[in-house]
Amino acid sequence: MFTTRPTLQGTFAMVSSTHWLASQSAMAVLEDGGNAYDAAVAAGFVLHVVEPHLNGPAGEVPIILAPAGGEVRVLCGQGVAPAGATVAHYRGLGLDLVPGTGPLAAAVPGAFDAWMLLLRDHGTKSLADVLKYAIGYARDGHAPVERVGETVRTVRELFETEWTSSAEVYLPGGEPPRPGELFRNPALAATWTRLIAEAVRDAGSSRESGAAPQSGAAPQSGADREPGASLEPGTRESRTQDGDRRVAEIEAARRIWREGFIAEALVRQAGRPTRDTSGERHSGTLTAADLASWSASYEAPATYDWRGWTLCKAGPWSQGPVLLQQLALLPPELPRYGSAEYTHLLIEGCKLAMADREAWYGDAGEVPPAELLSELLSPEYNAGRRALVGEKASYELRPGSPGGRTPLLSGHARVVASGEGGFDALAAPGAGEPTVARAEAGGPTVARAGGGEPTVAKSPTSPVPGEPEVSADGGTRGDTCHLDIVDRWGNMVAATPSGGWLQSNPVVPELGFPLGTRLQMAWLDEGLPNSLTPGRRPRTTLTPSLALRDGVPVMAFGTPGGDQQDQWQLHFFLAVALRAEVRGGPDLQGAIDAPNWHNDSFPGSFHPRGMLPGSVTVESRTDPDVIEELRRRGHDVQVGDAWSEGRLCAVARDPRTGVLSAAANPRGMQGYAVGR
């Protein structure tokens, strides 16, 4: 079939990410003898620089990794709610929802520590080795993609009048960054340069005093453990000494982030009254104690077996099990791929899985995650749920009752699901909310169902004569990044960095990056699995994927897109699993390029937490007969731009031949796969 690009194939390494500079920086690390995990960390920090409207160091990142010959693990880089982030505190401020922006929405930052833990435990390179690419682009400049300037223009007035530290970085000379001109962030470059210098100094002091590197897992050097150790220079003894020094520097960097100059600046920023989506100025709850007491951690993945595949996801503190539930809801025999019946089946299954997400997913729930997932993914439970899928589209929010339990829904979710209270999911956001949407022909900004999400919506188009004009915002939803890497030794990783967006909070002036806003996903109702709870993670939409075939890791994939991520990933996975191969390997590019869609028939995860019952947005490349049949079945179908749904990335490895593959999404015009 025709594809926009070839599916890359080779034997050395493959990288796919949402920005070409991150992909190429990762490849440079691999060419320099690093492994997939070294490359992932380098790419992650480059993404902070080149996609600052999509992620930042004080955001979060879930990572799924499959070390060659080892077990698949989830590395959780999602920080928890601070000790002072109680429902009572927010209610006392007159709030019904956590604001979509500002320091009240800031969880304990998670991304930095997760990247450091990945580098410490599984990498081989030093801190300076992996940060030099991000430092270079921040210090010397890079040509920004159009979306950066578009995002800044949307929030320009807010920056100039309220968030002046952001204006200093993102309005250089009084103007937003322009494509084709170098954009710099010297404050960020200085932060990482100082971090490295202090970490090297502190690690040297520890070694001279005879103190062992402090860590929770007593890690060894990656050079002693990872495939490719022979590439390290010198004798085994010198490699061991280098590894000890490397670990000591990484541990020192983690302490500086949690307790040193970075922590001090983050806490100062959280304490500054800041205008947020409520229209008021609020201070945050993040303290030095919150930062000092939290670290990233490993856990077992949630898994589901389907036709010889095993899908691995993060647990129900994330959106990840939604993909597993959608697979569990599929009948033994599927309709023809791409048909209206097939699409209807997937849409309706997604609605049921998302309803369960709303009622049962979260880090504050009373049901242990393993027990909950066992029930949600059981054949008996899904047989009952599957029976709810009829010939017509459902407009209801229908959570199930795993284990006979009564579903738990927030008051807000009940209102938006019922249509009571006059809540308009397409209403313009509240004063001060820096929702990012491209103005329609110079007109007002429109917020989709995820108003607190930094959505970058294209101008409306009418690609099919007679179809209604809609904002084709599915494919360029500006909330997240993604990267996938596989190296020649078989190490594989998928990561979805997000949060800490330039439009989410003011830039911390001493550091060059803002706090995140992930707490906006927690409810201000007591007793729910996703209630705002100190020390607990807000449920996140971030959801990288890793697939095994007959028990062997073969594919890593993922996409940005908030609530849409596990919809687009399901379509991609089924396209790979059900369709023909290309050149003896999986047709990754064909699966990415295939026409895609999403629905919003559930409460959104981003402020103002809206819902569009019965809605389906499809790309205009979708077969018109399929669109017509979906409408006949009662779906409220909107036709978007031809290339507007998803920003998927993927890499794969055939364990029989050692052939590696990669592909990247053409939508958005910035994702790239590289490899050889």
Side-chain angles (χ1 to χ4, degrees):
M1 64 172 290
F2 170 79
T3 58
T4 57
R5 310 166 182 179
T7 294
L8 305 185
Q9 290 188 320
T11 56
F12 177 75
M14 289 286 160
V15 179
S16 180
S17 87
T18 50
H19 196 288
W20 62 85
L21 291 179
S23 295
Q24 194 54 55
S25 297
M27 198 66 193
V29 173
L30 292 159
E31 295 283 6
D32 193 43
N35 64 23
Y37 309 115
D38 298 312
V41 177
F45 279 88
V46 169
L47 287 172
H48 297 161
V49 178
V50 300
E51 292 191 322
H53 58 311
L54 309 180
N55 79 134
E60 43 277 327
V61 57
I63 303 169
I64 303 183
L65 58 147
E71 295 184 356
V72 177
R73 301 291 286 169
V74 171
L75 176 50
C76 175
Q78 173 58 63
V80 300
T86 64
V87 169
H89 175 66
Y90 287 66
R91 291 286 189 182
L93 296 172
L95 298 170
D96 295 321
L97 294 173
V98 177
T101 60
L104 270 182
V108 177
F112 178 86
D113 199 61
W115 290 126
M116 290 298 100
L117 212 60
L118 182 67
L119 182 65
R120 184 195 75 181
D121 295 345
H122 298 279
T124 67
K125 294 291 187 179
S126 71
L127 185 65
D129 285 338
V130 297
L131 285 182
K132 65 183 180 183
Y133 305 94
I135 292 173
Y137 287 126
R139 181 191 60 219
D140 304 325
H142 68 282
V145 296
E146 289 85 351
R147 298 284 184 243
V148 176
E150 291 169 358
T151 301
V152 174
R153 278 192 292 276
T154 306
V155 292
R156 178 173 184 161
E157 182 180 353
L158 178 69
F159 282 10
E160 291 177 334
T161 60
E162 296 278 346
W163 297 6
T164 55
S165 59
S166 296
E168 292 177 8
V169 174
Y170 290 105
L171 291 171
E175 295 296 329
R178 295 186 179 91
E181 298 182 6
L182 290 180
F183 173 69
R184 299 175 175 84
N185 188 340
L188 180 58
T191 295
W192 298 144
T193 301
R194 179 179 173 184
L195 174 76
I196 293 169
E198 290 193 11
V200 170
R201 182 199 65 201
D202 292 355
S205 298
S206 297
R207 288 197 307 275
E208 291 173 5
S209 67
Q214 297 179 9
S215 69
Q220 295 177 322
S221 159
D224 295 331
R225 205 178 56 254
E226 291 293 330
S230 60
L231 298 176
E232 294 290 323
T235 64
R236 177 173 178 81
E237 181 180 0
S238 67
R239 291 199 303 271
T240 300
Q241 292 173 349
D242 289 344
D244 290 344
R245 181 173 64 250
R246 190 185 72 88
V247 170
E249 290 175 2
I250 294 168
E251 283 301 298
R254 296 178 70 205
R255 289 194 296 273
I256 293 165
W257 176 274
R258 293 197 298 254
E259 302 173 12
F261 78 95
I262 293 178
E264 293 169 357
L266 291 173
V267 171
R268 280 195 298 271
Q269 184 63 45
R272 294 183 176 113
T274 301
R275 189 178 183 185
D276 57 36
T277 57
S278 71
E280 304 295 331
R281 294 181 181 86
H282 293 115
S283 300
T285 60
L286 185 68
T287 67
D290 294 318
L291 282 165
S293 62
W294 184 85
S295 66
S297 59
Y298 294 99
E299 59 189 52
T303 63
Y304 186 75
D305 295 330
W306 187 81
R307 297 190 180 184
W309 295 82
T310 300
L311 272 292
C312 301
K313 303 288 284 186
W317 56 268
S318 77
Q319 181 176 267
V322 163
L323 178 59
L324 310 183
Q325 281 198 255
Q326 289 177 100
L327 288 172
L329 284 162
L330 294 176
E333 297 295 326
L334 294 177
R336 178 177 57 84
Y337 174 88
S339 66
E341 185 181 2
Y342 173 89
T343 305
H344 171 77
L345 180 68
L346 266 58
I347 293 169
E348 294 304 297
C350 176
K351 292 175 184 177
L352 294 173
M354 284 296 198
D356 278 346
R357 181 194 75 162
E358 191 55 51
W360 299 110
Y361 289 23
D363 201 31
E366 295 182 0
V367 184
E371 179 181 343
L372 176 65
L373 289 177
S374 177
E375 294 169 348
L376 289 174
L377 299 176
S378 69
E380 298 79 13
Y381 179 76
N382 285 284
R385 298 287 278 160
R386 191 180 305 121
L388 296 176
V389 177
E391 287 296 311
K392 293 291 187 177
S394 170
Y395 279 57
E396 298 177 79
L397 186 68
R398 299 182 290 178
S401 301
R405 302 178 184 89
T406 301
L408 301 171
L409 293 175
S410 71
H412 183 89
R414 293 182 186 279
V415 168
V416 299
S418 67
E420 299 173 1
F423 184 88
D424 183 0
L426 295 180
E433 178 179 3
T435 298
V436 179
R438 198 182 288 180
E440 300 183 6
T445 298
V446 176
R448 294 283 294 176
E453 178 180 7
T455 302
V456 183
K458 287 187 176 181
S459 299
T461 58
S462 184
V464 179
E467 296 291 355
E469 293 188 349
V470 299
S471 280
D473 66 345
T476 52
R477 209 162 263 210
D479 67 323
T480 306
C481 309
H482 187 80
L483 64 88
D484 301 302
I485 303 175
V486 59
D487 64 26
R488 60 194 184 276
W489 303 293
N491 298 303
M492 191 175 290
V493 61
T496 309
S498 186
W501 309 300
L502 69 86
Q503 62 274 32
S504 66
N505 255 308
V507 165
V508 183
E510 305 93 326
L511 302 179
F513 59 83
L515 287 164
T517 55
R518 193 60 57 173
L519 291 186
Q520 68 176 291
M521 296 187 170
W523 293 113
L524 296 182
D525 298 57
E526 300 280 9
L528 303 178
N530 191 32
S531 295
L532 181 66
T533 307
R536 298 290 183 177
R537 295 166 288 193
R539 190 190 71 213
T540 177
T541 56
L542 307 177
T543 173
S545 299
L546 199 141
L548 289 69
R549 186 72 173 165
D550 299 321
V552 179
V554 296
M555 186 167 64
F557 59 99
T559 179
D563 294 313
Q564 283 68 47
Q565 290 179 37
D566 281 310
Q567 301 184 56
W568 293 329
Q569 289 184 67
L570 176 69
H571 315 161
F572 165 81
F573 171 73
L574 291 177
V576 170
L578 299 176
R579 297 169 71 188
E581 295 185 341
V582 58
R583 293 194 302 276
D587 184 12
L588 301 182
Q589 194 64 52
I592 288 174
D593 287 357
N596 219 325
W597 53 264
H598 81 272
N599 84 93
D600 294 299
S601 296
F602 47 84
S605 296
F606 296 87
H607 189 282
R609 313 297 298 267
M611 174 177 169
L612 296 172
S615 70
V616 179
T617 302
V618 303
E619 292 181 330
S620 63
R621 296 180 294 128
T622 304
D623 184 339
D625 290 340
V626 170
I627 294 174
E628 183 59 32
E629 175 61 16
L630 290 175
R631 286 178 171 153
R632 190 192 70 78
R633 288 172 178 257
H635 296 279
D636 180 12
V637 180
Q638 303 296 314
V639 179
D641 186 58
W643 296 91
S644 57
E645 292 286 317
R647 287 180 66 205
L648 280 149
C649 300
V651 300
R653 179 179 185 271
D654 187 334
R656 300 167 301 163
T657 64
V659 172
L660 311 178
S661 305
N665 179 57
R667 303 165 179 88
M669 301 295 287
Q670 64 192 66
Y672 264 85
V674 296
R676 68 172 178 86

